[in-house]
Amino acid sequence: MGDGAGPRWAAGGTALVITVPEADPLVGRVRRTYQPEDRGAAPAHVTVLYPFLPAARIDAEVLAALRELFVAHQPFALDFAAFGRFPGLLWLAPEPQAPLRALTAAVAARWPEVPPYEGAFGDPAPHLSVAGSRAEEAYDAVAREFAAGLPLRTRVAGVHLVVSDGARWHLRETFALGAAGV
């Protein structure tokens, strides 16, 4: 799932994400300064799996399977201390990556028909998108300006199922990790 809202997100599309409220002030400032068109974008997050099943296919059985899958993983802490880059994207690198990769692998193994990013990136690196679709020089400026706000730390206790209405992403369900979910 990207950071934007708008026509590139089909209505009824879904994603499994971990929100990172500690990053919202930084990401919000970047958007206000460098990407005002993204004002209505999704909150800061790390994607576990995008796209997931179409919303019309998510029933009580799928929700129960997700609940069971996520409760088998323990809560964990993430640190974001450095920026990274993909072509057209500036992002924050989460550490450690292992628990994120384990969540993605578990969901992808259970629903092999929905590989991460439709299989476009092989083994995608976990990341928190900060800015996209800008010149590399803009990313240099963002990284310099906002590096002083790092590191960020968050505690991950759950995964969120979000659904797009074609313009915005909406929370449908939250799945607790570990014993908190029992």
Side-chain angles (χ1 to χ4, degrees):
M1 181 176 125
D3 285 332
R8 58 186 178 162
W9 311 118
T14 67
L16 294 165
V17 302
I18 294 167
T19 57
V20 183
E22 295 83 354
D24 277 331
L26 178 144
V27 172
R29 284 193 320 259
V30 170
R31 287 179 182 157
R32 282 189 302 280
T33 304
Y34 295 92
Q35 295 184 240
E37 69 276 11
D38 282 352
R39 253 176 264 151
H45 65 277
V46 176
T47 301
V48 173
L49 187 71
Y50 171 82
F52 186 52
L53 299 171
R57 284 193 48 203
I58 298 176
D59 57 14
E61 185 178 318
V62 169
L63 295 173
L66 284 167
R67 205 168 286 110
E68 181 179 325
L69 183 146
F70 289 125
V71 79
H73 295 264
Q74 294 304 307
F76 55 95
L78 284 177
D79 290 314
F80 299 86
F83 288 99
R85 294 184 191 191
F86 299 136
L89 185 68
L90 179 69
W91 48 277
L92 286 171
E95 290 296 334
Q97 289 189 5
L100 297 167
R101 288 182 179 279
L103 291 171
T104 298
V107 177
R110 173 61 180 80
W111 288 277
E113 70 273 26
V114 288
Y117 301 102
E118 298 176 323
F121 303 111
D123 181 22
H127 63 280
L128 188 153
S129 297
V130 175
S133 305
R134 291 290 178 254
E136 290 297 314
E137 302 78 45
Y139 296 156
D140 292 339
V142 169
R144 276 191 309 275
E145 183 176 349
F146 296 102
L150 300 180
L152 299 173
R153 183 174 187 82
T154 195
R155 179 103 177 119
V156 178
V159 176
H160 308 287
L161 171 63
V162 294
V163 180
S164 172
D165 65 9
R168 293 186 172 275
W169 291 93
H170 302 276
L171 177 64
R172 172 155 177 199
E173 191 86 19
T174 298
F175 305 98
L177 297 180
V182 179

PDB file of all heavy atoms in Angstrom, residues 105-146:
ATOM      1  N   ALA A 105       5.502 -13.117   5.334  1.00  0.00           N
ATOM      2  CA  ALA A 105       5.646 -14.495   4.864  1.00  0.00           C
ATOM      3  C   ALA A 105       4.477 -15.368   5.322  1.00  0.00           C
ATOM      4  O   ALA A 105       3.975 -16.203   4.545  1.00  0.00           O
ATOM      5  CB  ALA A 105       6.972 -15.082   5.346  1.00  0.00           C
ATOM      6  N   ALA A 106       4.025 -15.172   6.542  1.00  0.00           N
ATOM      7  CA  ALA A 106       2.921 -15.977   7.065  1.00  0.00           C
ATOM      8  C   ALA A 106       1.624 -15.707   6.302  1.00  0.00           C
ATOM      9  O   ALA A 106       0.890 -16.637   5.947  1.00  0.00           O
ATOM     10  CB  ALA A 106       2.733 -15.713   8.557  1.00  0.00           C
ATOM     11  N   VAL A 107       1.337 -14.437   6.035  1.00  0.00           N
ATOM     12  CA  VAL A 107       0.112 -14.101   5.296  1.00  0.00           C
ATOM     13  C   VAL A 107       0.218 -14.597   3.857  1.00  0.00           C
ATOM     14  O   VAL A 107      -0.723 -15.187   3.316  1.00  0.00           O
ATOM     15  CB  VAL A 107      -0.184 -12.584   5.339  1.00  0.00           C
ATOM     16  CG1 VAL A 107      -1.419 -12.254   4.513  1.00  0.00           C
ATOM     17  CG2 VAL A 107      -0.367 -12.106   6.770  1.00  0.00           C
ATOM     18  N   ALA A 108       1.370 -14.371   3.228  1.00  0.00           N
ATOM     19  CA  ALA A 108       1.552 -14.804   1.833  1.00  0.00           C
ATOM     20  C   ALA A 108       1.494 -16.325   1.708  1.00  0.00           C
ATOM     21  O   ALA A 108       0.992 -16.843   0.700  1.00  0.00           O
ATOM     22  CB  ALA A 108       2.869 -14.260   1.290  1.00  0.00           C
ATOM     23  N   ALA A 109       1.978 -17.049   2.718  1.00  0.00           N
ATOM     24  CA  ALA A 109       1.900 -18.510   2.686  1.00  0.00           C
ATOM     25  C   ALA A 109       0.456 -18.981   2.818  1.00  0.00           C
ATOM     26  O   ALA A 109       0.044 -19.953   2.172  1.00  0.00           O
ATOM     27  CB  ALA A 109       2.766 -19.115   3.794  1.00  0.00           C
ATOM     28  N   ARG A 110      -0.327 -18.310   3.631  1.00  0.00           N
ATOM     29  CA  ARG A 110      -1.733 -18.681   3.837  1.00  0.00           C
ATOM     30  C   ARG A 110      -2.596 -18.331   2.626  1.00  0.00           C
ATOM     31  O   ARG A 110      -3.522 -19.038   2.280  1.00  0.00           O
ATOM     32  CB  ARG A 110      -2.260 -17.986   5.098  1.00  0.00           C
ATOM     33  CG  ARG A 110      -3.744 -18.136   5.378  1.00  0.00           C
ATOM     34  CD  ARG A 110      -4.155 -19.591   5.579  1.00  0.00           C
ATOM     35  NE  ARG A 110      -5.556 -19.730   5.845  1.00  0.00           N
ATOM     36  CZ  ARG A 110      -6.535 -19.716   4.924  1.00  0.00           C
ATOM     37  NH1 ARG A 110      -6.246 -19.530   3.659  1.00  0.00           N
ATOM     38  NH2 ARG A 110      -7.787 -19.874   5.279  1.00  0.00           N
ATOM     39  N   TRP A 111      -2.272 -17.214   1.967  1.00  0.00           N
ATOM     40  CA  TRP A 111      -3.008 -16.772   0.777  1.00  0.00           C
ATOM     41  C   TRP A 111      -2.011 -16.563  -0.368  1.00  0.00           C
ATOM     42  O   TRP A 111      -1.686 -15.418  -0.733  1.00  0.00           O
ATOM     43  CB  TRP A 111      -3.772 -15.477   1.066  1.00  0.00           C
ATOM     44  CG  TRP A 111      -4.956 -15.685   1.948  1.00  0.00           C
ATOM     45  CD1 TRP A 111      -6.200 -16.108   1.575  1.00  0.00           C
ATOM     46  CD2 TRP A 111      -5.024 -15.472   3.368  1.00  0.00           C
ATOM     47  NE1 TRP A 111      -7.026 -16.190   2.673  1.00  0.00           N
ATOM     48  CE2 TRP A 111      -6.331 -15.804   3.794  1.00  0.00           C
ATOM     49  CE3 TRP A 111      -4.103 -15.048   4.323  1.00  0.00           C
ATOM     50  CZ2 TRP A 111      -6.737 -15.718   5.118  1.00  0.00           C
ATOM     51  CZ3 TRP A 111      -4.498 -14.964   5.643  1.00  0.00           C
ATOM     52  CH2 TRP A 111      -5.812 -15.300   6.031  1.00  0.00           C
ATOM     53  N   PRO A 112      -1.518 -17.653  -0.957  1.00  0.00           N
ATOM     54  CA  PRO A 112      -0.494 -17.526  -2.012  1.00  0.00           C
ATOM     55  C   PRO A 112      -0.989 -16.801  -3.265  1.00  0.00           C
ATOM     56  O   PRO A 112      -0.180 -16.330  -4.060  1.00  0.00           O
ATOM     57  CB  PRO A 112      -0.096 -18.968  -2.319  1.00  0.00           C
ATOM     58  CG  PRO A 112      -1.222 -19.800  -1.814  1.00  0.00           C
ATOM     59  CD  PRO A 112      -1.842 -19.046  -0.674  1.00  0.00           C
ATOM     60  N   GLU A 113      -2.282 -16.673  -3.407  1.00  0.00           N
ATOM     61  CA  GLU A 113      -2.830 -15.962  -4.575  1.00  0.00           C
ATOM     62  C   GLU A 113      -2.667 -14.451  -4.487  1.00  0.00           C
ATOM     63  O   GLU A 113      -2.950 -13.733  -5.449  1.00  0.00           O
ATOM     64  CB  GLU A 113      -4.310 -16.323  -4.792  1.00  0.00           C
ATOM     65  CG  GLU A 113      -5.274 -15.793  -3.751  1.00  0.00           C
ATOM     66  CD  GLU A 113      -5.475 -16.676  -2.516  1.00  0.00           C
ATOM     67  OE1 GLU A 113      -4.556 -17.462  -2.161  1.00  0.00           O
ATOM     68  OE2 GLU A 113      -6.546 -16.568  -1.893  1.00  0.00           O
ATOM     69  N   VAL A 114      -2.197 -13.952  -3.342  1.00  0.00           N
ATOM     70  CA  VAL A 114      -1.969 -12.512  -3.183  1.00  0.00           C
ATOM     71  C   VAL A 114      -0.534 -12.250  -2.715  1.00  0.00           C
ATOM     72  O   VAL A 114      -0.308 -11.857  -1.570  1.00  0.00           O
ATOM     73  CB  VAL A 114      -3.011 -11.850  -2.239  1.00  0.00           C
ATOM     74  CG1 VAL A 114      -4.366 -11.757  -2.903  1.00  0.00           C
ATOM     75  CG2 VAL A 114      -3.130 -12.582  -0.910  1.00  0.00           C
ATOM     76  N   PRO A 115       0.445 -12.413  -3.607  1.00  0.00           N
ATOM     77  CA  PRO A 115       1.824 -12.134  -3.215  1.00  0.00           C
ATOM     78  C   PRO A 115       2.022 -10.639  -2.969  1.00  0.00           C
ATOM     79  O   PRO A 115       1.291  -9.807  -3.530  1.00  0.00           O
ATOM     80  CB  PRO A 115       2.642 -12.603  -4.420  1.00  0.00           C
ATOM     81  CG  PRO A 115       1.701 -12.485  -5.575  1.00  0.00           C
ATOM     82  CD  PRO A 115       0.331 -12.808  -5.010  1.00  0.00           C
ATOM     83  N   PRO A 116       2.989 -10.282  -2.126  1.00  0.00           N
ATOM     84  CA  PRO A 116       3.241  -8.861  -1.857  1.00  0.00           C
ATOM     85  C   PRO A 116       3.448  -8.070  -3.150  1.00  0.00           C
ATOM     86  O   PRO A 116       4.203  -8.491  -4.039  1.00  0.00           O
ATOM     87  CB  PRO A 116       4.519  -8.879  -1.018  1.00  0.00           C
ATOM     88  CG  PRO A 116       4.543 -10.249  -0.401  1.00  0.00           C
ATOM     89  CD  PRO A 116       3.908 -11.159  -1.411  1.00  0.00           C
ATOM     90  N   TYR A 117       2.774  -6.942  -3.251  1.00  0.00           N
ATOM     91  CA  TYR A 117       2.872  -6.039  -4.403  1.00  0.00           C
ATOM     92  C   TYR A 117       2.680  -6.779  -5.726  1.00  0.00           C
ATOM     93  O   TYR A 117       3.328  -6.480  -6.715  1.00  0.00           O
ATOM     94  CB  TYR A 117       4.194  -5.266  -4.365  1.00  0.00           C
ATOM     95  CG  TYR A 117       4.338  -4.447  -3.108  1.00  0.00           C
ATOM     96  CD1 TYR A 117       5.145  -4.883  -2.064  1.00  0.00           C
ATOM     97  CD2 TYR A 117       3.644  -3.259  -2.948  1.00  0.00           C
ATOM     98  CE1 TYR A 117       5.260  -4.148  -0.891  1.00  0.00           C
ATOM     99  CE2 TYR A 117       3.746  -2.515  -1.775  1.00  0.00           C
ATOM    100  CZ  TYR A 117       4.559  -2.967  -0.758  1.00  0.00           C
ATOM    101  OH  TYR A 117       4.659  -2.244   0.396  1.00  0.00           O
ATOM    102  N   GLU A 118       1.796  -7.779  -5.680  1.00  0.00           N
ATOM    103  CA  GLU A 118       1.461  -8.604  -6.847  1.00  0.00           C
ATOM    104  C   GLU A 118       2.690  -9.269  -7.458  1.00  0.00           C
ATOM    105  O   GLU A 118       2.734  -9.570  -8.641  1.00  0.00           O
ATOM    106  CB  GLU A 118       0.701  -7.772  -7.882  1.00  0.00           C
ATOM    107  CG  GLU A 118      -0.611  -7.253  -7.321  1.00  0.00           C
ATOM    108  CD  GLU A 118      -1.379  -6.343  -8.252  1.00  0.00           C
ATOM    109  OE1 GLU A 118      -0.736  -5.541  -8.983  1.00  0.00           O
ATOM    110  OE2 GLU A 118      -2.609  -6.435  -8.243  1.00  0.00           O
ATOM    111  N   GLY A 119       3.722  -9.503  -6.637  1.00  0.00           N
ATOM    112  CA  GLY A 119       4.932 -10.167  -7.094  1.00  0.00           C
ATOM    113  C   GLY A 119       5.884  -9.271  -7.874  1.00  0.00           C
ATOM    114  O   GLY A 119       6.898  -9.740  -8.383  1.00  0.00           O
ATOM    115  N   ALA A 120       5.604  -7.985  -7.946  1.00  0.00           N
ATOM    116  CA  ALA A 120       6.404  -7.068  -8.771  1.00  0.00           C
ATOM    117  C   ALA A 120       7.819  -6.852  -8.243  1.00  0.00           C
ATOM    118  O   ALA A 120       8.700  -6.470  -9.014  1.00  0.00           O
ATOM    119  CB  ALA A 120       5.689  -5.718  -8.891  1.00  0.00           C
ATOM    120  N   PHE A 121       8.062  -7.074  -6.953  1.00  0.00           N
ATOM    121  CA  PHE A 121       9.367  -6.728  -6.377  1.00  0.00           C
ATOM    122  C   PHE A 121      10.098  -7.911  -5.762  1.00  0.00           C
ATOM    123  O   PHE A 121      11.010  -7.715  -4.964  1.00  0.00           O
ATOM    124  CB  PHE A 121       9.206  -5.627  -5.324  1.00  0.00           C
ATOM    125  CG  PHE A 121       8.546  -4.391  -5.874  1.00  0.00           C
ATOM    126  CD1 PHE A 121       7.263  -4.043  -5.468  1.00  0.00           C
ATOM    127  CD2 PHE A 121       9.182  -3.599  -6.800  1.00  0.00           C
ATOM    128  CE1 PHE A 121       6.636  -2.918  -5.972  1.00  0.00           C
ATOM    129  CE2 PHE A 121       8.569  -2.471  -7.326  1.00  0.00           C
ATOM    130  CZ  PHE A 121       7.289  -2.132  -6.909  1.00  0.00           C
ATOM    131  N   GLY A 122       9.733  -9.123  -6.078  1.00  0.00           N
ATOM    132  CA  GLY A 122      10.430 -10.272  -5.505  1.00  0.00           C
ATOM    133  C   GLY A 122      10.269 -10.300  -4.002  1.00  0.00           C
ATOM    134  O   GLY A 122       9.193 -10.557  -3.487  1.00  0.00           O
ATOM    135  N   ASP A 123      11.339  -9.996  -3.299  1.00  0.00           N
ATOM    136  CA  ASP A 123      11.344  -9.975  -1.834  1.00  0.00           C
ATOM    137  C   ASP A 123      11.384  -8.508  -1.384  1.00  0.00           C
ATOM    138  O   ASP A 123      12.463  -7.958  -1.142  1.00  0.00           O
ATOM    139  CB  ASP A 123      12.564 -10.735  -1.316  1.00  0.00           C
ATOM    140  CG  ASP A 123      12.638 -10.782   0.194  1.00  0.00           C
ATOM    141  OD1 ASP A 123      11.588 -10.614   0.855  1.00  0.00           O
ATOM    142  OD2 ASP A 123      13.753 -10.965   0.712  1.00  0.00           O
ATOM    143  N   PRO A 124      10.218  -7.856  -1.265  1.00  0.00           N
ATOM    144  CA  PRO A 124      10.223  -6.425  -0.964  1.00  0.00           C
ATOM    145  C   PRO A 124      10.755  -6.124   0.435  1.00  0.00           C
ATOM    146  O   PRO A 124      10.458  -6.821   1.397  1.00  0.00           O
ATOM    147  CB  PRO A 124       8.753  -6.024  -1.085  1.00  0.00           C
ATOM    148  CG  PRO A 124       7.985  -7.282  -0.895  1.00  0.00           C
ATOM    149  CD  PRO A 124       8.867  -8.404  -1.360  1.00  0.00           C
ATOM    150  N   ALA A 125      11.557  -5.072   0.515  1.00  0.00           N
ATOM    151  CA  ALA A 125      12.111  -4.637   1.797  1.00  0.00           C
ATOM    152  C   ALA A 125      11.032  -3.940   2.617  1.00  0.00           C
ATOM    153  O   ALA A 125      10.329  -3.069   2.099  1.00  0.00           O
ATOM    154  CB  ALA A 125      13.276  -3.681   1.569  1.00  0.00           C
ATOM    155  N   PRO A 126      10.875  -4.307   3.880  1.00  0.00           N
ATOM    156  CA  PRO A 126       9.946  -3.562   4.733  1.00  0.00           C
ATOM    157  C   PRO A 126      10.390  -2.101   4.800  1.00  0.00           C
ATOM    158  O   PRO A 126      11.594  -1.810   4.885  1.00  0.00           O
ATOM    159  CB  PRO A 126      10.087  -4.237   6.099  1.00  0.00           C
ATOM    160  CG  PRO A 126      10.642  -5.591   5.807  1.00  0.00           C
ATOM    161  CD  PRO A 126      11.519  -5.410   4.600  1.00  0.00           C
ATOM    162  N   HIS A 127       9.417  -1.199   4.771  1.00  0.00           N
ATOM    163  CA  HIS A 127       9.749   0.228   4.786  1.00  0.00           C
ATOM    164  C   HIS A 127       8.542   1.050   5.193  1.00  0.00           C
ATOM    165  O   HIS A 127       7.404   0.591   5.113  1.00  0.00           O
ATOM    166  CB  HIS A 127      10.238   0.685   3.407  1.00  0.00           C
ATOM    167  CG  HIS A 127       9.202   0.541   2.339  1.00  0.00           C
ATOM    168  ND1 HIS A 127       8.931  -0.670   1.722  1.00  0.00           N
ATOM    169  CD2 HIS A 127       8.359   1.440   1.782  1.00  0.00           C
ATOM    170  CE1 HIS A 127       7.956  -0.501   0.835  1.00  0.00           C
ATOM    171  NE2 HIS A 127       7.579   0.767   0.864  1.00  0.00           N
ATOM    172  N   LEU A 128       8.810   2.287   5.605  1.00  0.00           N
ATOM    173  CA  LEU A 128       7.773   3.257   5.914  1.00  0.00           C
ATOM    174  C   LEU A 128       7.959   4.400   4.916  1.00  0.00           C
ATOM    175  O   LEU A 128       8.960   5.129   4.978  1.00  0.00           O
ATOM    176  CB  LEU A 128       7.921   3.761   7.350  1.00  0.00           C
ATOM    177  CG  LEU A 128       6.810   4.649   7.885  1.00  0.00           C
ATOM    178  CD1 LEU A 128       6.717   4.522   9.396  1.00  0.00           C
ATOM    179  CD2 LEU A 128       6.955   6.088   7.485  1.00  0.00           C
ATOM    180  N   SER A 129       7.038   4.534   3.973  1.00  0.00           N
ATOM    181  CA  SER A 129       7.162   5.562   2.932  1.00  0.00           C
ATOM    182  C   SER A 129       7.053   6.952   3.540  1.00  0.00           C
ATOM    183  O   SER A 129       6.187   7.210   4.373  1.00  0.00           O
ATOM    184  CB  SER A 129       6.066   5.382   1.878  1.00  0.00           C
ATOM    185  OG  SER A 129       6.208   4.143   1.237  1.00  0.00           O
ATOM    186  N   VAL A 130       7.949   7.839   3.103  1.00  0.00           N
ATOM    187  CA  VAL A 130       7.963   9.221   3.582  1.00  0.00           C
ATOM    188  C   VAL A 130       7.564  10.175   2.474  1.00  0.00           C
ATOM    189  O   VAL A 130       6.736  11.060   2.664  1.00  0.00           O
ATOM    190  CB  VAL A 130       9.355   9.599   4.151  1.00  0.00           C
ATOM    191  CG1 VAL A 130       9.409  11.073   4.531  1.00  0.00           C
ATOM    192  CG2 VAL A 130       9.697   8.717   5.343  1.00  0.00           C
ATOM    193  N   ALA A 131       8.149  10.025   1.289  1.00  0.00           N
ATOM    194  CA  ALA A 131       7.853  10.916   0.165  1.00  0.00           C
ATOM    195  C   ALA A 131       8.044  10.151  -1.133  1.00  0.00           C
ATOM    196  O   ALA A 131       8.943   9.323  -1.247  1.00  0.00           O
ATOM    197  CB  ALA A 131       8.761  12.140   0.191  1.00  0.00           C
ATOM    198  N   GLY A 132       7.189  10.433  -2.094  1.00  0.00           N
ATOM    199  CA  GLY A 132       7.287   9.761  -3.383  1.00  0.00           C
ATOM    200  C   GLY A 132       7.098  10.713  -4.535  1.00  0.00           C
ATOM    201  O   GLY A 132       6.616  11.835  -4.367  1.00  0.00           O
ATOM    202  N   SER A 133       7.507  10.246  -5.702  1.00  0.00           N
ATOM    203  CA  SER A 133       7.301  10.985  -6.950  1.00  0.00           C
ATOM    204  C   SER A 133       7.937  12.358  -6.934  1.00  0.00           C
ATOM    205  O   SER A 133       7.351  13.333  -7.400  1.00  0.00           O
ATOM    206  CB  SER A 133       5.800  11.111  -7.248  1.00  0.00           C
ATOM    207  OG  SER A 133       5.209   9.855  -7.265  1.00  0.00           O
ATOM    208  N   ARG A 134       9.126  12.467  -6.413  1.00  0.00           N
ATOM    209  CA  ARG A 134       9.845  13.736  -6.383  1.00  0.00           C
ATOM    210  C   ARG A 134      11.244  13.534  -6.939  1.00  0.00           C
ATOM    211  O   ARG A 134      11.756  12.423  -7.014  1.00  0.00           O
ATOM    212  CB  ARG A 134       9.966  14.274  -4.945  1.00  0.00           C
ATOM    213  CG  ARG A 134       8.658  14.712  -4.360  1.00  0.00           C
ATOM    214  CD  ARG A 134       8.199  15.989  -5.061  1.00  0.00           C
ATOM    215  NE  ARG A 134       6.921  16.448  -4.587  1.00  0.00           N
ATOM    216  CZ  ARG A 134       5.792  16.326  -5.284  1.00  0.00           C
ATOM    217  NH1 ARG A 134       5.768  15.754  -6.432  1.00  0.00           N
ATOM    218  NH2 ARG A 134       4.671  16.809  -4.799  1.00  0.00           N
ATOM    219  N   ALA A 135      11.902  14.629  -7.279  1.00  0.00           N
ATOM    220  CA  ALA A 135      13.281  14.581  -7.741  1.00  0.00           C
ATOM    221  C   ALA A 135      14.197  14.144  -6.603  1.00  0.00           C
ATOM    222  O   ALA A 135      13.922  14.423  -5.434  1.00  0.00           O
ATOM    223  CB  ALA A 135      13.696  15.956  -8.264  1.00  0.00           C
ATOM    224  N   GLU A 136      15.283  13.485  -6.947  1.00  0.00           N
ATOM    225  CA  GLU A 136      16.237  13.023  -5.944  1.00  0.00           C
ATOM    226  C   GLU A 136      16.744  14.170  -5.073  1.00  0.00           C
ATOM    227  O   GLU A 136      17.000  13.990  -3.888  1.00  0.00           O
ATOM    228  CB  GLU A 136      17.415  12.311  -6.626  1.00  0.00           C
ATOM    229  CG  GLU A 136      17.038  10.966  -7.232  1.00  0.00           C
ATOM    230  CD  GLU A 136      16.568   9.951  -6.210  1.00  0.00           C
ATOM    231  OE1 GLU A 136      17.213   9.788  -5.158  1.00  0.00           O
ATOM    232  OE2 GLU A 136      15.527   9.314  -6.459  1.00  0.00           O
ATOM    233  N   GLU A 137      16.875  15.372  -5.650  1.00  0.00           N
ATOM    234  CA  GLU A 137      17.339  16.518  -4.872  1.00  0.00           C
ATOM    235  C   GLU A 137      16.358  16.841  -3.748  1.00  0.00           C
ATOM    236  O   GLU A 137      16.753  17.253  -2.664  1.00  0.00           O
ATOM    237  CB  GLU A 137      17.508  17.771  -5.751  1.00  0.00           C
ATOM    238  CG  GLU A 137      18.460  17.609  -6.913  1.00  0.00           C
ATOM    239  CD  GLU A 137      17.846  16.856  -8.092  1.00  0.00           C
ATOM    240  OE1 GLU A 137      16.692  17.133  -8.495  1.00  0.00           O
ATOM    241  OE2 GLU A 137      18.533  15.960  -8.601  1.00  0.00           O
ATOM    242  N   ALA A 138      15.071  16.675  -4.009  1.00  0.00           N
ATOM    243  CA  ALA A 138      14.068  16.909  -2.967  1.00  0.00           C
ATOM    244  C   ALA A 138      14.235  15.888  -1.842  1.00  0.00           C
ATOM    245  O   ALA A 138      14.096  16.229  -0.667  1.00  0.00           O
ATOM    246  CB  ALA A 138      12.657  16.840  -3.547  1.00  0.00           C
ATOM    247  N   TYR A 139      14.561  14.649  -2.189  1.00  0.00           N
ATOM    248  CA  TYR A 139      14.778  13.635  -1.155  1.00  0.00           C
ATOM    249  C   TYR A 139      15.993  13.979  -0.303  1.00  0.00           C
ATOM    250  O   TYR A 139      15.990  13.757   0.906  1.00  0.00           O
ATOM    251  CB  TYR A 139      14.947  12.248  -1.770  1.00  0.00           C
ATOM    252  CG  TYR A 139      13.724  11.748  -2.496  1.00  0.00           C
ATOM    253  CD1 TYR A 139      13.833  10.803  -3.497  1.00  0.00           C
ATOM    254  CD2 TYR A 139      12.447  12.212  -2.176  1.00  0.00           C
ATOM    255  CE1 TYR A 139      12.717  10.331  -4.162  1.00  0.00           C
ATOM    256  CE2 TYR A 139      11.333  11.748  -2.839  1.00  0.00           C
ATOM    257  CZ  TYR A 139      11.473  10.808  -3.837  1.00  0.00           C
ATOM    258  OH  TYR A 139      10.372  10.343  -4.492  1.00  0.00           O
ATOM    259  N   ASP A 140      17.044  14.520  -0.946  1.00  0.00           N
ATOM    260  CA  ASP A 140      18.218  14.950  -0.190  1.00  0.00           C
ATOM    261  C   ASP A 140      17.817  16.006   0.836  1.00  0.00           C
ATOM    262  O   ASP A 140      18.219  15.949   1.994  1.00  0.00           O
ATOM    263  CB  ASP A 140      19.290  15.533  -1.121  1.00  0.00           C
ATOM    264  CG  ASP A 140      19.921  14.494  -2.034  1.00  0.00           C
ATOM    265  OD1 ASP A 140      19.845  13.290  -1.719  1.00  0.00           O
ATOM    266  OD2 ASP A 140      20.479  14.898  -3.069  1.00  0.00           O
ATOM    267  N   ALA A 141      17.010  16.972   0.412  1.00  0.00           N
ATOM    268  CA  ALA A 141      16.570  18.052   1.305  1.00  0.00           C
ATOM    269  C   ALA A 141      15.718  17.502   2.438  1.00  0.00           C
ATOM    270  O   ALA A 141      15.893  17.893   3.606  1.00  0.00           O
ATOM    271  CB  ALA A 141      15.806  19.112   0.517  1.00  0.00           C
ATOM    272  N   VAL A 142      14.807  16.602   2.130  1.00  0.00           N
ATOM    273  CA  VAL A 142      13.948  16.007   3.159  1.00  0.00           C
ATOM    274  C   VAL A 142      14.802  15.254   4.175  1.00  0.00           C
ATOM    275  O   VAL A 142      14.636  15.423   5.383  1.00  0.00           O
ATOM    276  CB  VAL A 142      12.898  15.060   2.529  1.00  0.00           C
ATOM    277  CG1 VAL A 142      12.191  14.249   3.603  1.00  0.00           C
ATOM    278  CG2 VAL A 142      11.897  15.838   1.709  1.00  0.00           C
ATOM    279  N   ALA A 143      15.718  14.430   3.689  1.00  0.00           N
ATOM    280  CA  ALA A 143      16.560  13.637   4.591  1.00  0.00           C
ATOM    281  C   ALA A 143      17.386  14.543   5.500  1.00  0.00           C
ATOM    282  O   ALA A 143      17.484  14.287   6.707  1.00  0.00           O
ATOM    283  CB  ALA A 143      17.456  12.697   3.786  1.00  0.00           C
ATOM    284  N   ARG A 144      17.959  15.612   4.946  1.00  0.00           N
ATOM    285  CA  ARG A 144      18.739  16.548   5.779  1.00  0.00           C
ATOM    286  C   ARG A 144      17.856  17.239   6.807  1.00  0.00           C
ATOM    287  O   ARG A 144      18.200  17.345   7.975  1.00  0.00           O
ATOM    288  CB  ARG A 144      19.412  17.608   4.894  1.00  0.00           C
ATOM    289  CG  ARG A 144      20.724  17.197   4.290  1.00  0.00           C
ATOM    290  CD  ARG A 144      21.452  18.387   3.668  1.00  0.00           C
ATOM    291  NE  ARG A 144      20.639  19.160   2.747  1.00  0.00           N
ATOM    292  CZ  ARG A 144      20.463  18.875   1.452  1.00  0.00           C
ATOM    293  NH1 ARG A 144      21.051  17.828   0.929  1.00  0.00           N
ATOM    294  NH2 ARG A 144      19.706  19.631   0.694  1.00  0.00           N
ATOM    295  N   GLU A 145      16.693  17.712   6.344  1.00  0.00           N
ATOM    296  CA  GLU A 145      15.809  18.488   7.219  1.00  0.00           C
ATOM    297  C   GLU A 145      15.232  17.663   8.360  1.00  0.00           C
ATOM    298  O   GLU A 145      15.077  18.148   9.479  1.00  0.00           O
ATOM    299  CB  GLU A 145      14.675  19.091   6.392  1.00  0.00           C
ATOM    300  CG  GLU A 145      13.741  19.981   7.178  1.00  0.00           C
ATOM    301  CD  GLU A 145      12.690  20.641   6.301  1.00  0.00           C
ATOM    302  OE1 GLU A 145      12.791  20.583   5.058  1.00  0.00           O
ATOM    303  OE2 GLU A 145      11.756  21.208   6.876  1.00  0.00           O
ATOM    304  N   PHE A 146      14.920  16.403   8.097  1.00  0.00           N
ATOM    305  CA  PHE A 146      14.187  15.619   9.076  1.00  0.00           C
ATOM    306  C   PHE A 146      15.026  14.568   9.797  1.00  0.00           C
ATOM    307  O   PHE A 146      14.524  13.901  10.702  1.00  0.00           O
ATOM    308  CB  PHE A 146      12.957  14.996   8.423  1.00  0.00           C
ATOM    309  CG  PHE A 146      11.988  16.032   7.951  1.00  0.00           C
ATOM    310  CD1 PHE A 146      11.908  16.364   6.611  1.00  0.00           C
ATOM    311  CD2 PHE A 146      11.199  16.719   8.848  1.00  0.00           C
ATOM    312  CE1 PHE A 146      11.033  17.350   6.178  1.00  0.00           C
ATOM    313  CE2 PHE A 146      10.332  17.711   8.434  1.00  0.00           C
ATOM    314  CZ  PHE A 146      10.244  18.021   7.094  1.00  0.00           C
TER     315      PHE A 146
END
